[in-house]
Amino acid sequence: MKAMLLRAPNTPFELVDLPDPVAGPGEAVARVITCGSGLTIQHIKAGRRQAEFPRIIGHEITGEIVDVGPGVSGLAVGDGVTAYYYLNCGHCRWCLANFEPLCVNTGGNVGLNCDGGYAEYIKLPARIFIKLPAGLDYKAHPAEIGVVTDALATPYKVLRRARIAPGETVAVFGAGGGLGIHQVMMAKWAKARVIAVDIAKDKFDACRQAGADETVDASSYDVAEALLDLTHGEGVDVAIDYVSSAGTLEAAALALGRHGRLVTLGGAGQTFHVSARNLLNKEQDILGSRYVTRREILETFGLVARGEVWPLVTEIRPLAEAEILHERVERGEVTGRAALAIAPLASRAATP
Ligand SMILES: [Zn+2]
């Protein structure tokens, strides 16, 4: 199979020929149709996130099962699939309690601790594949369907994590980014008033199209002051921070109103300062939100299948152009999500 290989961090992709993977016991192999290209995996390529090399990155896949190993049930050749991002055990108390991102036995991530989707085929433990539900036309829109598992499901989960109610004011920090713009979309779907915060002014039109009622240019204004002005001094009900630097988290905390909720996602894990007095007097919450559960992925697929939300994929390139695409992702030039188109849709003959 053809694959885009990274031999070391911060090096260009190398298009290589590798043996087609064969499913062992408990495993399955899918032919990859498309794979999303976001900042999460660019962090691996750029060496900002530790990984074992050589590595094939990519996890937001749409594919079709071509090989199923012994002992696998519930998955058959020809099934349309995507993948769960975490290589979880499926049987610890956290997995069983529908808190899968907190699995204590996790083997890491697809495309980080095992090879991912930037190849014609991907082999994974069969339980990591998620069968695409009926009603999703993945053959017509493989790139869009593939990015749902992360770019759209993660913002969907935040709605519940932050208990966002209709009519509340939600500020999205990093709103122009791949996940941020989908958070704008999801918060609007939840009937919130949405304020998009970013330093990339060129993304504001897209934010408005995704549902932002107002925008705040963080490169020119004091964000906390701007958010207080826009809420007549009351502060926002929810601040969702996809940048999550100490600076953005502190601005978000200052802009929080009574019963406000601050959600951190992403970032480098910096320590930040927050007023305990405000937390107490205004009964505010500080929350972390980490990826999603399978149930949340299936629920998000339901929304997409019913046409209530639709992933924003603005750039689809062939596998051979992975390097160009990642340069654009690194420079923040992609609006919404980008994806690689890897295999045409004609099915490979079943493995003999
Ligand atoms: Zn587990």
Side-chain angles (χ1 to χ4, degrees), residues 21-30 65-73 75-77 87 114 122-129:
V22 177
E27 295 176 332
V29 175
I65 296 294
V66 293
D67 188 15
V68 175
V72 172
S73 57
L75 214 51
V77 170
L87 294 162
C114 74
I122 181 171
K123 179 173 81 168
L124 294 170
R127 66 174 186 281
I128 302 302
F129 284 111

Side-chain angles (χ1 to χ4, degrees), residues 11-24:
T11 57
F13 287 110
E14 195 179 319
L15 188 60
V16 296
D17 270 307
L18 297 172
D20 289 354
V22 177

